[in-house]
Amino acid sequence: MEALREKIDLGTVAEITIGYSSKVKASDRPKVTCSRQVYQVFLEFWNQDRIELVEDFHLMLLSRANRVLGICTISSGGTSGTVVDAKVVFATALKANASSMIVAHNHPSGNLIPSEQDRRLTKRLTEIGRALDLPLLDHVIVTNEGYYSFADEGVL
């Protein structure tokens, strides 16, 4: 009962604002319609000094017309893996008001075969995306010499 009598000081409550600002016209954004285009956009974005050094995980956000709203680095790790927090992935996509998303990570070894951890993460992101009506369209493993697309291989 004592707690009900306490006055709440709203000056101690954080204000939350949500916004998205783009300096690129929608018609100027690249449109991706196949995994090859996705790979090319990601490869152009990737820091080439790191692609064979450490594993990075990136998120591509798409409009309803499959135009790239932006690409965001979600995590960077070591030579054999990186930790991906699904909350960060979806918080970023929701803030940008994305209609869908594609994720990618590199294998510094150059191996294009997905690990069991890669498969589990893809399944988890797919399930969460389905629940939020924010579909994961693909998960791409990127190397300088090629790529692996979960969607192309029927794994999604």
Side-chain angles (χ1 to χ4, degrees), residues 1-8:
M1 285 303 221
E2 195 63 35
L4 292 177
R5 293 187 187 128
E6 290 181 30
K7 185 174 180 180
I8 297 174

Side-chain angles (χ1 to χ4, degrees):
M1 285 303 221
E2 195 63 35
L4 292 177
R5 293 187 187 128
E6 290 181 30
K7 185 174 180 180
I8 297 174
D9 178 8
L10 293 180
T12 62
V13 177
E15 179 182 356
I16 298 172
T17 60
I18 297 174
Y20 172 75
S21 175
S22 176
K23 294 175 178 37
V24 180
K25 294 187 313 187
S27 60
D28 290 340
R29 296 178 188 141
K31 183 172 185 167
V32 292
T33 57
C34 67
S35 62
R36 184 81 176 143
Q37 291 171 331
V38 168
Y39 169 67
Q40 290 170 336
V41 172
F42 270 125
L43 195 59
E44 191 173 314
F45 174 81
W46 225 279
N47 180 339
Q48 292 300 306
D49 293 336
R50 295 173 54 90
I51 199 164
E52 293 180 346
L53 179 66
V54 295
E55 193 167 305
D56 292 321
F57 189 93
H58 300 301
L59 170 65
M60 179 185 292
L61 302 171
L62 301 173
S63 70
R64 204 152 292 284
N66 282 354
R67 297 233 178 233
V68 179
L69 299 173
I71 299 175
C72 176
T73 301
I74 297 297
S75 67
S76 294
T79 57
S80 62
T82 187
V83 176
V84 177
D85 186 338
K87 291 180 290 197
V88 174
V89 171
F90 285 96
T92 304
L94 289 168
K95 181 169 179 159
N97 200 29
S99 293
S100 59
M101 59 187 189
I102 298 172
V103 296
H105 76 283
N106 63 309
H107 282 174
S109 67
N111 179 4
L112 289 173
I113 299 170
S115 68
E116 186 55 38
Q117 183 178 348
D118 295 340
R119 292 179 190 280
R120 281 194 308 269
L121 175 63
T122 303
K123 182 178 180 192
R124 184 162 181 250
L125 294 176
T126 300
E127 290 170 355
I128 296 168
R130 192 173 296 123
L132 292 173
D133 194 24
L134 184 54
L136 176 67
L137 301 181
D138 204 350
H139 180 172
V140 179
I141 298 172
V142 174
T143 70
N144 277 331
E145 295 181 10
Y147 68 99
Y148 175 94
S149 162
F150 281 72
D152 288 356
E153 298 300 323
V155 181
L156 266 176

